[in-house]
């Protein structure tokens, strides 16, 4: 069970001056804990975040938890979009500028070359802090509720930032599907996520991605699997 001292200690460790990802990948322990991603204000500048107390030129973007900190960061967040919500969110946000391409495995993933390009972008723009804790899930939840990192959808405050994260994730999921590879920039990879709109189809519990009134994809809430919404149209009235 968390106490105030534990949360205060974790907060202090996460808000200390971050390390580069190259150094962090070597220094991270193989223990459980919570990690924080930081960036200068000019990187993804439409997302405000808490300022780092050890380096006032950085602000918080994202918090996560891990059973093994080094493995989670080095082998998921820095390598595999299929196993990292952070990578998928960044890819969706950066697609218009970077023209990342995706393909379908058992989910939407970046093609290998663009996995490497995103990793390079992260090394160039992001830094990391972490704190060890044997039961990281409740600690992560508490810290997200206090710090409101903008790329954590659960903790992002309602408004423009939260909408941008939701649009970026839907944008990413709609970029490829079963039997289809985004081998070249498509409509979804060349336009900004904000050019599209999301609205809920309550009778089917899914998010509908639209542009100019045209349904492009449906994204069931909380899952990375893209599904067709054509069956939903007669019931929810979408065209």
């Amino acid at each position: 069970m968390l106490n105030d001292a534990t949360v205060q200690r974790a907060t202090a460790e996460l808000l200390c001056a971050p390390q580069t990802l190259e150094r962090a990948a070597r220094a991270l322990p193989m223990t459980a804990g919570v990690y924080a991603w930081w960036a200068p204000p000019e990187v993804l500048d439409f997302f405000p975040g808490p300022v780092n107390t050890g380096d006032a030129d950085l602000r918080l973007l994202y918090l996560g938890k891990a059973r093994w900190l080094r493995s989670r960061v080095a082998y998921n967040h820095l390598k595999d979009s299929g196993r990292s919500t952070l990578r998928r969110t960044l890819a969706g946000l950066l697609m218009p500028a970077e023209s990342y391409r995706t393909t379908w495995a058992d989910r939407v993933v970046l093609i290998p070359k663009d996995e490497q390009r995103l990793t390079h972008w992260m090394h160039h723009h992001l830094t990391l802090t972490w704190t060890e804790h044997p039961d990281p899930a409740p600690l992560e939840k508490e810290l997200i509720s206090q710090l409101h990192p903008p790329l954590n959808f659960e903790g992002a405050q309602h408004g423009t930032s939260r909408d941008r994260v939701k649009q970026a994730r839907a944008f990413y999921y709609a970029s490829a599907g079963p039997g289809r590879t985004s081998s070249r920039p498509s409509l979804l990879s060349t336009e900004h996520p904000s050019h599209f709109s999301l609205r809920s189809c309550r009778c089917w519990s899914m998010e509908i991605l639209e542009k100019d009134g045209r349904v492009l994809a449906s994204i069931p809430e909380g899952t990375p699997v893209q599904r067709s919404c054509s069956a939903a149209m007669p019931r929810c009235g979408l065209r």
Side-chain angles (χ1 to χ4, degrees), residues 11 17 34 46 51 84 90 123 125 132 146 200 203 205 227 231-232:
T11 302
V34 175
F46 37 82
V51 174
S84 168
L90 291 172
H123 273 276
H125 292 99
E132 297 179 60
Q146 289 189 15
S200 297
C203 56
S205 299
R227 300 177 186 173

Side-chain angles (χ1 to χ4, degrees), residues 10-132:
T11 302
E13 291 182 351
L14 290 175
L15 268 65
C16 69
Q19 297 194 29
T20 66
L21 298 189
E22 184 178 0
R23 292 184 62 186
R26 296 193 299 266
L28 280 162
M30 284 297 290
T31 54
V34 175
Y35 49 87
W37 296 83
W38 302 86
E42 64 270 17
V43 175
L44 303 176
D45 57 3
F46 37 82
F47 288 112
V51 174
N52 184 280
T53 57
D55 186 342
D57 291 329
L58 299 172
R59 95 293 192 199
L60 180 63
L61 283 182
Y62 185 83
L63 282 177
K65 64 181 184 296
R67 293 175 61 190
W68 298 284
L69 284 162
R70 186 188 305 174
S71 295
R72 179 63 173 147
V73 171
Y75 297 107
N76 294 159
H77 289 313
L78 290 176
K79 284 190 177 181
D80 188 353
S81 57
R83 296 178 182 273
S84 168
T85 300
L86 174 63
R87 280 181 79 85
R88 292 191 291 271
T89 303
L90 291 172
L93 291 166
L94 296 169
M95 270 184 179
E98 301 292 337
S99 299
Y100 292 138
R101 294 155 295 173
T102 56
T103 189
W104 178 264
D106 60 339
R107 66 195 73 192
V108 180
V109 296
L110 292 171
I111 66 169
K113 180 179 179 180
D114 289 340
E115 291 277 22
Q116 295 174 7
R117 290 177 58 217
L118 178 55
T119 298
H120 177 78
W121 184 94
M122 293 172 73
H123 273 276
H124 186 69
H125 292 99
L126 305 183
T127 51
L128 193 78
T129 58
W130 62 89
T131 182
E132 297 179 60

